[in-house]
Amino acid sequence: MIQSLDRAIRILSHIAERNSLGVTELSQMLSVNKSTVSRLLDTLRAHDMVQIDKGTGKYRLGFRILHLGESLKNSLNVIAIARPIILDLSCRLGESVHLCAFNNNCVYVVDQVRSSRAYSLSATVGMIEPFHCSSVGKCILAYRRPETLRALLAGYEFTRYTEHTITDEDTLMSHLEQIRRQGYAIDDEEMSIGVRCVAVPVFNYRNSVYYSIGISGPKHTVRASDLEKSIRLMMDAAKEISAGIGCPSGSTGLTERE
Amino acid sequence: MIQSLDRAIRILSHIAERNSLGVTELSQMLSVNKSTVSRLLDTLRAHDMVQIDKGTGKYRLGFRILHLGESLKNSLNVIAIARPIILDLSCRLGESVHLCAFNNNCVYVVDQVRSSRAYSLSATVGMIEPFHCSSVGKCILAYRRPETLRALLAGYEFTRYTEHTITDEDTLMSHLEQIRRQGYAIDDEEMSIGVRCVAVPVFNYRNSVYYSIGISGPKHTVRASDLEKSIRLMMDAAKEISAGIGCPSGSTGLTERE
DNA sequence: CGTATCAGTTGCACAATGCGCAACCGTGTT
DNA sequence: AACACGGTTGCGCATTGTGCAACTGATACG
């Protein structure tokens, strides 16, 4: 463990936590002489890892941090990260698994693993999933803010596919509330008779939900008896993907909607 | 300049640039012995500033970077940063200046400085600016992607306020193209007869436009003769705000729309 | 107006710390 | 099996980072 570097990172973390700090404060928090802190800050500042807040004169994080973060985000490929995980999930559950993403105000299927089963249900990558009657769609909607939801659903057509389809905004809203509470969404023959789907949310580095993974299968194979176990497995998989895209571990569910 | 820290930050930057690098590659790039690089990476990894990409086995940036970045973004208060700058701008130009933000698919006035002039034109903070006939609105729209624009304008009503109001999508589209090329937007009596407005975009840390600043004044005070000078001053102010929220200097205009 | 107080930076001398070297793993390749 | 290659560990040296204390500069206060 390299002392100076270790201390520098500690400094960054403390600054991040308190937004801005002075040399003396930092030196007390770290129990390090302020001359040392001052010199570490000099080097950090030379690389724009911290900057001096004109106004308070204290140190805040520098924009280099943002640029590093951008680069990391750009290199994060959810599909690549999720692939081995949903592959494994599909094997364990014996069902097709889709990875869906919220983009352009729609929920798209962005990747898929087909079940090994002879008669497998499958979506098409690129397909848009409806908000009101797909588990993956509802799952993502459940984590939007009320205002966003209102905007999304303004003018949305609640096409009825089966007798179980939710066809009005109010019902959907309270349904979404429930999904967020329980942490998973079910589509029980809401789009096609005989088909049942389950989906769970994937949390990103800021605890927002922009992805979901879902399974779909013939109603009789996705049985109530197995459901609990399946959901647990799915949640484990989702947690792994979440971690892979930077979700702080253990914080799932404490999510601000957006 | 503290050597070890300096080297560590160099390592981060190189990794960011190339997405992932190995110990040996890094040691060559920095001309530092690989044992040293390895030990620096150990410390960085202990703080999740880098992580090992399972798959390639090489080092990539760690999620701590993202969390630091989030914290910085949360502490960035555009209004606070912009205030002294638009205040100064308003003095120099003698016009009211507004700061507008794109949010919830609308352009809102989020701050304002009223001109010292006796008859000043002013908006209300919180007000929503129309897309098709406000300079601040057009200015922000001009940097949306075509797909986003289409979504935004689907069902948008091109209310006619004056004989100069743009009332159809095609005209607006080519007008926006021009705005992006020239870097500023003008509203020439498009919303109110006798009122002229000018707006310029503010670029954020990833070169996206989510804010604009605009002036509005009686047509005769915002004269064509002064326009060039005014626009230059506005662009300077916008650049300063942009820098204040992390825009990499000198990169204005090379923007990906979104 | 001078003095006290506090935050931050600089000079210096010491030794702790970080460094390069070389040896050592562990994997994959021919 | 031998080799090549990327990464980690042990060790001894001196470079580097460190604490101390003095210095600067701003702000408050009698």
Side-chain angles (χ1 to χ4, degrees), chain B residues 5-234:
Chain B
L5 176 52
D6 182 61
R7 287 171 167 179
I9 300 173
R10 287 228 160 78
I11 286 176
L12 291 178
S13 304
H14 276 108
I15 293 178
E17 217 168 280
R18 312 280 293 265
N19 279 342
S20 78
L21 286 170
V23 176
T24 311
E25 292 170 290
L26 281 165
S27 92
Q28 283 163 354
M29 300 172 106
L30 303 178
S31 315
V32 169
N33 193 285
K34 52 186 186 136
S35 69
T36 306
V37 172
S38 172
R39 282 188 269 250
L40 289 168
L41 285 168
D42 276 348
T43 304
L44 287 170
R45 191 152 56 100
H47 289 280
D48 199 25
M49 298 289 283
V50 301
Q51 58 186 130
I52 294 181
D53 184 313
K54 32 187 170 188
T56 69
K58 294 187 180 301
Y59 286 86
R60 25 171 41 220
L61 292 179
F63 295 127
R64 169 66 66 96
I65 302 270
L66 287 182
H67 301 135
L68 292 175
E70 269 316 287
S71 141
L72 173 53
K73 274 192 277 180
N74 289 337
S75 77
L76 281 183
N77 182 348
V78 195
I79 296 177
I81 291 165
R83 186 130 260 271
I85 300 165
I86 61 178
L87 208 78
D88 178 68
L89 185 65
S90 171
C91 287
R92 284 174 199 269
L93 297 179
E95 302 290 353
S96 298
V97 178
H98 326 292
L99 172 69
C100 295
F102 187 61
N103 211 325
N104 256 110
N105 294 336
C106 296
V107 174
Y108 292 89
V109 178
V110 296
D111 197 18
Q112 165 180 230
V113 177
R114 312 197 32 175
S115 88
S116 44
R117 217 185 278 290
Y119 301 101
S120 75
L121 281 157
S122 60
T124 314
V125 170
M127 208 176 92
I128 294 181
E129 295 275 0
F131 289 150
H132 67 303
C133 61
S134 71
S135 57
V136 282
K138 293 191 291 185
C139 195
I140 287 177
L141 272 209
Y143 292 86
R144 299 302 112 193
R145 286 220 208 83
E147 313 90 84
T148 314
L149 274 179
R150 236 176 286 126
L152 280 173
L153 295 176
Y156 182 77
E157 230 180 283
F158 287 79
T159 311
R160 174 182 286 287
Y161 293 99
T162 75
E163 54 189 305
H164 302 105
T165 308
I166 294 173
T167 53
D168 69 292
E169 193 165 321
D170 287 347
T171 313
L172 182 62
M173 287 302 222
S174 63
H175 189 65
L176 293 178
E177 186 72 40
Q178 189 199 337
I179 289 170
R180 213 171 57 257
R181 267 205 309 276
Q182 66 195 14
Y184 61 88
I186 290 185
D187 147 23
D188 200 358
E189 301 189 290
E190 292 163 40
M191 189 142 63
S192 309
I193 290 294
V195 176
R196 192 184 264 171
C197 307
V198 186
V200 294
V202 172
F203 296 86
N204 75 0
Y205 67 98
R206 48 186 287 180
N207 265 318
S208 309
V209 175
Y210 285 98
Y211 298 93
S212 60
I213 52 177
I215 59 170
S216 30
K219 187 183 169 95
H220 67 276
T221 76
V222 187
R223 304 184 160 290
S225 60
D226 308 325
L227 212 57
E228 212 176 303
K229 202 190 69 188
S230 302
I231 289 172
R232 201 169 12 247
L233 285 174
M234 291 182 70

